Amino acid sequence: MVLILWVNIMPNQIEDKRKILLRVKRIKGQVQALETALEDGVECGAILQQICSVRGAINGLMNEMLEVHLKDTLVTGETTEQERRDELTEIAKILKSYLK
């Protein structure tokens, strides 16, 4: 018996995808600024603040991506009850890993 698990790789809605990509680009800019600050020898307090900002941005990205994914797969997706149950199990594993 072959089990085919439906996996949603990207947000289905164009607006959702656009918002996610904008967040990623902002994070990229924050990380580049952090790298520059480290290279330029900026004081530790300012670097720590930038790290906090990057962490907050990553958390925001995770929250938004999770919300979009849940909406696309569990709410509006055309899946069976078993597929939704399997997807929920997979999401739980991801969240446990993320929250470590």
Side-chain angles (χ1 to χ4, degrees):
M1 178 176 158
V2 176
L3 174 64
I4 299 174
L5 180 61
W6 180 71
V7 178
N8 190 356
I9 297 174
M10 276 297 296
N12 288 331
Q13 302 298 318
I14 293 171
E15 182 61 24
D16 290 338
K17 184 175 180 179
R18 187 189 68 75
K19 288 189 328 189
I20 297 288
L21 286 172
L22 281 174
R23 278 189 182 270
V24 169
K25 288 177 184 181
R26 272 188 247 126
I27 292 168
K28 182 179 175 182
Q30 288 177 313
V31 171
Q32 287 173 337
L34 177 59
E35 180 181 14
T36 300
L38 288 166
E39 290 172 347
D40 293 348
V42 172
E43 73 156 300
C44 288
I47 290 173
L48 290 169
Q49 184 59 48
Q50 284 184 303
I51 292 170
C52 288
S53 295
V54 170
R55 181 179 181 197
I58 291 289
N59 286 339
L61 173 63
M62 181 63 158
N63 289 337
E64 187 157 357
M65 190 67 206
L66 181 59
E67 181 181 328
V68 166
H69 183 66
L70 289 172
K71 179 185 71 174
D72 287 350
T73 59
L74 300 180
V75 177
T76 61
E78 295 180 16
T79 56
T80 66
E81 185 175 337
Q82 182 61 47
E83 288 171 326
R84 289 190 300 273
R85 202 174 294 124
D86 293 343
E87 187 63 29
L88 186 57
T89 300
E90 186 61 29
I91 290 168
K93 288 179 192 176
I94 292 167
L95 285 174
K96 285 179 186 176
S97 173
Y98 182 74
L99 295 172
K100 281 186 179 181

